[in-house]
Amino acid sequence: MAASTAGPPSDRPGSHPDGLPEALPPPVRLPRRRGTELVLLAGAVLISVYGYVEVGLATDGTVPAGAAGYGAGLGLLALLAHVAVRLRAPYADPLLLPIAVLLNGLGLVMICLLYTSPADEAAPTQLIWSALGVGFFIAVVLFLRDHRVLQRYAYLSVAAALVLLIVPIFFPAINGAKIWIRVAGLSFQPGEFAKILLAVFFASYLAVNRHALAYTGRRIWKFQFPTGRVLGPILTIWLASVGVLVLERDLGTSLLFFGLFVVLLYVATGRTGWIAVGLLLAAAGAVTVGSLEPHVHSRVQDWLHPFASIDAGEGASQLAQTYFAFASGGVLGTGLGQGDSVLIGFAAKSDFILATAGEELGLTGLFAIFLLYTLLVERGLRAGLAQRNPFGRLLAVGLASIVALQVFVIAGGVMGLIPLTGMAMPFLAQGGSSVVTNWIIVALLIRMSDTARRPAPAPAAPEGPGEPGGPAGPGDPGGPGAFDAPGEARP
């Protein structure tokens, strides 16, 4: 019989030389960095106020009369958001909130410099929407104590998202797309809220079925296809995204929804083949609808021939004016308030806000703006990687991917990489629904980053297996289950 390898109590790891259990090390206390967040918020507000003053000096030669009120209002909103984070999410990432405030403040400055007439209420309206977005941010941070609660409402979320996507079909098209609801002079874009609900559903569904998608199914040559029960929802999402594109004539929303699902599918399974399948399906749907639907087809033609209207003697199109704005800005830009991007038309404040930034801030300013978006997405992905449960990881990655996909789709359309879409640049562009939903996304990311960075409670002193305070055995209710991956905590 082989001799037992177990030594005396003093030789076992984690035991005291006298045979008593060794005291557990104290939990690691991570710095909260709320002071860092407050300093960065002050800098974001000051930069925004400086931009507002610079616009007034460039256009009228005087400091705008509302500069103090604008600074006080933006500073108050930032302070209220900071207090909410300090109270309910003290371990949250300190960069998320300052980046959102700075982007929102720069967006307000861009909209103000495109102020065309005394009757133009775009800037005051956007400030009201921003205040409403911060209000939703504070509500999410204060009342959502655990993001895993959202997993219980996965199917309710997808049902609500489908309703929000279908309702605009029954309203008249605006600028060729049926994505708006206009009631009593107020416009509302429900698809902006649907993207958050769909992210919750996708994260919940893939968290449950990630193993089935990755390891089960039938293998054909080098590819492994999951069963029909698991593959069915994937094809349903593809058909729904194409249906949105056909019925609402909105290329951007379709690309966003389908891209979100493909990204989460890859993160959940780790299989690059899903990215190839997703790109093929998206390309097939876009080519088919782009050839058959007149509004989408016209956008594709404008993308392929942006200067055709000039050659025909009809003047420069919006896309051509955008290229002229980028060329006029050069490396350092013309300066705030000294550009001519207003020639783009009414969409200079919304779809083409990036052209305004490129002309007046130049290539250097565009790099700075893209760097802010990159930091925002990176911090969201970092919050996802640090989550202890698969739903939290997928939800954080999905929310960060929404921002990344929007920036890519909008910047790619304005810069001529892909056909132009009618989406709003996060925080920068005019659009009440967009700014509110982006503040909600930041609030959810802050909640999840706080959960990930918060130190775990000190474990109880170890006793015998199955005893109170001791490690749970395989058959105990708190022990590892068959569906728990190693290192993952069950919600």
Side-chain angles (χ1 to χ4, degrees):
M1 179 180 297
S4 173
T5 58
S10 59
D11 297 336
R12 298 176 189 171
S15 62
H16 193 272
D18 297 332
L20 300 176
E22 185 177 348
L24 295 173
V28 179
R29 304 292 272 179
L30 296 176
R32 299 189 178 187
R33 299 189 185 279
R34 298 280 64 84
T36 302
E37 179 184 84
L38 185 59
V39 172
L40 293 175
L41 282 175
V45 173
L46 288 177
I47 292 174
S48 302
V49 174
Y50 172 79
Y52 187 79
V53 172
E54 180 66 21
V55 170
L57 292 174
T59 55
D60 300 328
T62 60
V63 176
Y70 168 73
L74 186 61
L76 179 61
L77 292 177
L79 182 60
L80 292 175
H82 170 73
V83 171
V85 174
R86 183 179 285 272
L87 292 176
R88 293 298 191 186
Y91 292 94
D93 193 304
L95 290 183
L96 289 171
L97 181 57
I99 291 174
V101 170
L102 181 55
L103 287 172
N104 202 164
L106 291 176
L108 291 171
V109 171
M110 295 291 174
I111 295 172
C112 285
L113 64 86
L114 294 171
Y115 189 81
T116 55
S117 66
D120 190 351
E121 299 181 352
T125 302
Q126 187 71 3
L127 183 58
I128 294 174
W129 280 110
S130 300
L132 184 61
V134 174
F136 274 95
F137 171 91
I138 294 173
V140 171
V141 172
L142 291 181
F143 298 111
L144 182 64
R145 304 302 297 270
D146 191 345
H147 64 274
R148 291 175 293 183
V149 174
L150 299 176
Q151 190 173 7
R152 305 174 187 172
Y153 307 101
Y155 289 96
L156 180 61
S157 297
V158 72
L162 292 176
V163 171
L164 291 174
L165 289 174
I166 293 173
V167 169
I169 297 175
F170 304 99
F171 286 79
I174 298 178
N175 299 327
K178 292 186 175 183
I179 58 176
W180 296 89
I181 295 176
R182 189 178 293 273
V183 178
L186 298 176
S187 57
F188 171 73
Q189 192 172 350
E192 290 288 337
F193 296 91
K195 63 188 181 184
I196 298 179
L197 297 174
L198 286 176
V200 173
F201 170 72
F202 291 160
S204 177
Y205 176 81
L206 292 174
V208 175
N209 296 280
R210 64 191 189 282
H211 294 302
L213 287 167
Y215 303 113
T216 64
R218 178 177 299 178
R219 179 175 292 275
I220 300 178
W221 192 43
K222 296 182 179 181
F223 302 96
Q224 182 172 341
F225 295 90
T227 61
R229 181 181 63 84
V230 179
L231 189 61
I234 300 175
L235 297 178
T236 302
I237 294 299
W238 176 67
L239 293 174
S241 64
V242 176
V244 169
L245 179 59
V246 173
L247 297 177
E248 298 188 355
R249 306 170 187 174
D250 185 17
L251 180 62
T253 302
S254 175
L255 290 176
L256 175 64
F257 290 163
F258 193 73
L260 171 65
F261 187 74
V262 171
V263 168
L264 291 182
L265 190 60
Y266 167 71
V267 173
T269 62
R271 297 187 177 274
T272 56
W274 285 115
I275 296 180
V277 173
L279 292 176
L280 289 175
L281 291 176
V287 170
T288 302
V289 179
S291 303
L292 301 178
E293 213 290 320
H295 176 69
V296 179
H297 180 72
S298 65
R299 295 220 170 188
V300 174
Q301 292 301 313
D302 291 341
W303 170 57
L304 295 175
H305 310 286
F307 302 106
S309 59
I310 299 178
D311 298 336
E314 300 174 357
S317 63
Q318 286 183 320
L319 197 55
Q321 290 284 7
T322 299
Y323 296 159
F324 296 152
F326 284 129
S328 176
V331 176
L332 298 178
T334 60
L336 287 173
Q338 302 181 38
D340 296 317
S341 56
V342 68
L343 298 175
I344 296 176
F346 68 93
K349 304 171 186 175
S350 53
D351 297 359
F352 296 93
I353 193 73
L354 206 61
T356 302
E359 181 179 19
E360 307 204 355
L361 300 179
L363 186 62
T364 305
L366 280 180
F367 276 158
I369 291 175
F370 287 141
L371 180 60
L372 290 175
Y373 283 120
T374 302
L375 283 174
L376 182 62
V377 173
E378 186 271 336
R379 289 290 168 165
L381 294 177
R382 178 175 297 196
L385 291 175
Q387 293 299 313
R388 300 181 180 93
N389 66 302
F391 171 73
R393 285 198 293 269
L394 290 171
L395 181 59
V397 171
L399 295 175
S401 299
I402 287 175
V403 178
L405 289 170
Q406 278 192 255
V407 173
F408 170 76
V409 169
I410 300 162
V414 174
M415 295 180 176
L417 298 176
I418 60 175
L420 189 66
T421 63
M423 299 180 68
M425 199 73 172
F427 292 111
L428 277 184
Q430 177 188 4
S433 305
S434 174
V435 73
V436 170
T437 53
N438 284 306
W439 273 111
I440 295 176
I441 288 176
V442 172
L444 292 172
L445 291 177
I446 281 181
R447 167 52 58 204
M448 285 185 284
S449 68
D450 173 73
T451 303
R453 299 177 75 247
R454 184 181 294 270
E463 300 178 16
E467 298 179 9
D476 295 337
F483 299 98
D484 292 334
E488 292 180 355
R490 290 179 297 176

